[in-house]
Amino acid sequence: MLARVIFNQKGGVGKSSIAVNLAALSANAGLRTLLIDLDSQGNASQYLLGDSAIADQNTPVLEPNIETFFAQTLQTAPNMFAFPFGGASITSEVNLPDCIHATNFDNLYVIPSSPGLGNILHQLESKHKIYKLRDGLKRLAHDVDRVYIDTPPAFNFFSLSALIAADRVIVPFDCDVFSKRALQSLVHNVLETRQDHNPDLGIEGIVVNQFDPRANLPREVVQSLADEGYPIFESKLSPSVIMKKSHEQNLPLVYLDPNHKLSQQFLALFEQLEQA
C-alpha cells in the first residue's frame, strides 16, 4: 500500500479536485484505491458520492465516516456533542475499514468527511491521538493498493494525522506570490513532521494548478520555484471549465471526458507518480 497526502495550508488551490482525479485514475488503472476526506467541507466526498454526501437540516450525515472513527477516541457517550447535522453516534468500536463506502466506480472507495469534524478538533488535539489514522491504515495494508488523503486548508490535528500516516506528500500550487510565500511554512511543517513522527515521509512534488503558459506571472513564479530547488512535476494543470462540469456531474475527468486536455494532463501526472 502506498499512501499520498494532498496538502497545502492555503485554501483554494485545488486539493480536492487533484485528490479525487488522481484517485480515480488510480482506480481506473486497476489499483484498489481509497480516498480519505479529512476536510470538514467534504468537497471530495461530494465530488465522488454526490448528494448522499451532503449533510443539511433534512439530510443526516453519511455514517460511519472519518468523524465516527476519530470521535470514538474521546470515549464520549453517544450524542454528547451537539453536532449540527446529526453527528457521529458511537455505539461500538469502529475501525477504519468500517468507514469505507463504495463509489459508482470500480476499485474506487471513499471514507467520507463530516461537518462535525471541527467540533472535535480541540478535544482530539488534547488527547494526542495523532497516530490513530496511521494505525488504522495499517489494517488496510493488504486490502488497498493506493490511498489518497484530502486535507483541510490548515496545519491542524487532521492534516498532521495525514502527514504521519502517509508515505508521500503532493503539494497543489496555484501560481501566485501568496502561494509561494506559504511554501516555506509548508515545507517546514513537513520536515518537522518527518523529524518528529514519520522518518520516511517525503515531498513527492509540487503540482502546478491553474497554469496558463501564455501569462508572464505564472511562468515567472514557477521558474523561481525551480531555481530555488523545489520539486515540480512536469505535468501542469490548465484552467478549464470542464472541472466545474466534472464537479456538477460527480464524474472525475477520466470518466467524464478522458480525451480532454485537462484529463490528459492529469493522466500524465498520474503516470509520473506511478513511475517514480
Side-chain angles (χ1 to χ4, degrees):
M1 181 182 74
L2 180 64
R4 293 183 169 101
V5 55
I6 316 300
F7 174 58
N8 195 320
Q9 296 157 202
K10 182 177 181 294
V13 295
K15 287 191 302 296
S16 298
S17 295
I18 291 171
V20 168
N21 279 285
L22 288 177
L25 282 163
S26 174
N28 193 57
L31 298 169
R32 297 168 298 176
T33 304
L34 173 65
L35 176 76
I36 301 176
D37 188 355
L38 289 177
D39 189 348
S40 61
Q41 296 180 73
N43 291 332
S45 303
Q46 185 178 345
Y47 195 168
L48 282 179
L49 298 176
D51 291 343
S52 64
I54 301 173
D56 56 31
Q57 298 299 333
N58 300 313
T59 305
V61 174
L62 182 63
E63 294 184 350
N65 54 51
I66 198 64
E67 182 197 359
T68 319
F69 175 71
F70 278 119
Q72 67 183 334
T73 66
L74 301 175
Q75 297 181 343
T76 302
N79 300 323
M80 179 172 287
F81 293 115
F83 294 118
F85 303 114
S89 58
I90 306 164
T91 56
S92 60
E93 182 180 3
V94 178
N95 296 313
L96 197 64
D98 301 324
C99 302
I100 296 174
H101 296 255
T103 71
N104 291 327
F105 314 105
D106 290 343
N107 301 315
L108 185 54
Y109 303 87
V110 60
I111 296 179
S113 180
S114 164
L117 280 176
N119 295 329
I120 61 173
L121 174 60
H122 297 301
Q123 292 96 326
L124 287 168
E125 289 174 336
S126 67
K127 290 285 186 177
H128 306 291
K129 296 294 186 178
I130 54 175
Y131 297 105
K132 184 169 178 60
L133 182 62
R134 181 198 66 182
D135 295 342
L137 281 179
K138 288 181 179 179
R139 293 174 176 260
L140 297 170
H142 301 293
D143 301 313
V144 175
D145 300 311
R146 297 290 183 271
V147 177
Y148 287 88
I149 309 174
D150 188 24
T151 55
F155 186 59
N156 59 21
F157 171 89
F158 298 115
S159 49
L160 178 57
S161 294
L163 291 171
I164 291 172
D167 302 296
R168 302 173 185 175
V169 183
I170 296 174
V171 181
F173 180 87
D174 55 352
C175 300
D176 63 38
V177 293
F178 299 108
S179 290
K180 184 182 176 184
R181 292 170 186 167
L183 265 182
Q184 186 175 2
S185 174
L186 183 152
V187 171
H188 171 78
N189 286 330
V190 172
L191 293 179
E192 189 175 61
T193 302
R194 181 168 68 186
Q195 180 178 353
D196 294 344
H197 305 288
N198 185 357
D200 298 323
L201 181 67
I203 296 178
E204 194 162 14
I206 294 172
V207 178
V208 179
N209 193 24
Q210 300 290 321
F211 181 69
D212 184 355
R214 299 167 298 179
N216 290 330
L217 181 60
R219 293 202 314 270
E220 292 170 358
V221 171
V222 171
Q223 186 59 52
S224 68
L225 292 179
D227 293 342
E228 294 173 26
Y230 286 98
I232 301 173
F233 288 113
E234 181 179 349
S235 180
K236 301 173 180 60
L237 306 177
S238 302
S240 175
V241 295
I242 196 175
M243 184 59 76
K244 181 179 180 180
K245 184 178 179 181
S246 177
H247 292 165
E248 291 173 346
Q249 297 190 19
N250 309 117
L251 285 173
L253 292 170
V254 66
Y255 303 112
L256 177 64
D257 186 351
N259 296 317
H260 191 276
K261 177 183 177 181
L262 185 56
S263 304
Q264 289 297 305
Q265 290 170 345
F266 266 108
L267 178 59
L269 173 60
F270 171 73
E271 290 177 342
Q272 187 176 354
L273 288 171
E274 289 300 312
Q275 292 167 4

